Amino acid sequence: MDELKPAELREYLNLTETQLKELDRESIRALMEVRLEYVKEHSEDPDANINSTSWRYLLGPHRWAGYSKPEYIWQPVSDIPKYNIVPLIIGSLKVTLVALLFSVPLALGAAVYVPSWRAPGFARLPSP
């Protein structure tokens, strides 16, 4: 508030010169806070008014501002949060596949090697 010139402050708050002169410092500060809240709620970004937690946006692709085609996006920490469950499911499947690529050969190798340790008396038992 102190950095703004009176003309800039008047323009920012959409006040006339006489209205600005009638207000005290605390009233101007309160108007600035209201103006900031209004700007946050009524952003120029068309995605700002979208409730991205509705089922339509959680399950299907959406063409977000700045993207050329509909995308599945999980971006909870941006200025405008974008939520979609599909990237989470795909990520979980990728991690599962990588884990299987390591664990299956290791388990099969262990299954083949461990029977060689058994005692001779257990040789008659069927092995896998």
Side-chain angles (χ1 to χ4, degrees):
M1 185 168 96
D2 296 328
E3 301 102 29
L4 294 175
K5 297 175 184 173
E8 293 172 340
L9 185 62
R10 188 173 41 95
E11 184 179 328
Y12 180 74
L13 296 175
N14 295 327
L15 298 172
T16 63
E17 196 170 326
T18 55
Q19 288 174 328
L20 184 63
K21 287 181 182 178
E22 292 173 357
L23 296 174
D24 62 342
R25 186 174 182 84
E26 195 167 318
S27 299
I28 293 173
R29 184 177 307 271
L31 281 175
M32 288 185 73
E33 289 174 6
V34 169
R35 176 75 174 151
L36 283 173
E37 287 179 22
Y38 177 82
V39 168
K40 285 181 184 177
E41 290 177 5
H42 298 90
S43 174
E44 293 178 13
D45 192 346
D47 295 336
N49 296 326
I50 293 176
N51 177 12
S52 62
T53 59
S54 66
W55 287 109
R56 174 182 174 207
Y57 299 106
L58 285 173
L59 298 175
H62 179 69
R63 187 173 178 274
W64 300 97
Y67 291 87
S68 60
K69 59 181 182 159
E71 298 281 342
Y72 296 99
I73 298 175
W74 177 264
Q75 202 173 44
V77 292
S78 66
D79 291 335
I80 299 167
K82 300 170 182 80
Y83 301 106
N84 194 289
I85 295 175
V86 175
L88 298 178
I89 294 170
I90 291 174
S92 297
L93 292 175
K94 285 180 182 179
V95 168
T96 302
L97 181 65
V98 170
L100 285 173
L101 288 175
F102 283 102
S103 63
V104 169
L106 185 65
L108 289 176
V112 169
Y113 181 68
V114 168
S116 66
W117 290 353
R118 66 182 169 193
F122 291 108
R124 292 177 300 215
L125 295 175
S127 62

